[in-house]
Amino acid sequence: MIRIIRLLWKRFLLSLAASMHDRLDFILELGTQLVVVGINVFFFFVVYRNVPLLGGWTYEQALLILGLYQLVNGLSNFVLYGNIRQIAKFVRMGEFDAILIQPIDPQINLL
């Protein structure tokens, strides 16, 4: 289990390095995400300014759910999206078989 966690951590660091390779693109993506989060928070602010409860949820609870969603969605996109796109490249280049025969579980290896 520790081995898998170490592997996933190294994959995370590689994904981070790949994302930060082009600094301008990274900064623009970060800025875009901050604008999207700001728009979402503003939307909830406007809605809850006029309504104290929405479906039994308070403003703070709705923001907590929004924040958790953004965190999980961002981490999954960051860690998984870049590596899953590589599967098509592995198949196209004929390298997929080499991944399948490695001594680590292919599902973990392809993350």
Side-chain angles (χ1 to χ4, degrees), residues 47-64:
V47 168
Y48 278 99
R49 185 177 57 176
N50 299 318
V51 180
L53 290 175
L54 188 62
W57 294 82
T58 65
Y59 175 67
E60 292 81 14
Q61 291 170 335
L63 284 183
L64 178 67

Side-chain angles (χ1 to χ4, degrees), residues 36-98:
V36 168
V37 170
I39 289 171
N40 287 330
V41 170
F42 181 71
F43 170 77
F44 279 105
F45 174 74
V46 168
V47 168
Y48 278 99
R49 185 177 57 176
N50 299 318
V51 180
L53 290 175
L54 188 62
W57 294 82
T58 65
Y59 175 67
E60 292 81 14
Q61 291 170 335
L63 284 183
L64 178 67
I65 297 299
L66 174 66
L68 290 174
Y69 167 76
Q70 291 291 336
L71 178 69
V72 171
N73 187 40
L75 286 175
S76 67
N77 284 340
F78 184 70
V79 173
L80 300 177
Y81 182 67
N83 295 329
I84 287 180
R85 287 188 317 191
Q86 296 296 324
I87 294 174
K89 183 185 116 189
F90 292 144
V91 170
R92 190 175 53 247
M93 302 298 284
E95 299 170 0
F96 193 66
D97 292 337

Side-chain angles (χ1 to χ4, degrees), residues 3 7 9 15 30-31 40 52 55 73 85-86:
R3 182 176 164 211
L7 177 67
W9 178 251
S15 217
L30 183 64
N40 287 330
N73 187 40
R85 287 188 317 191
Q86 296 296 324

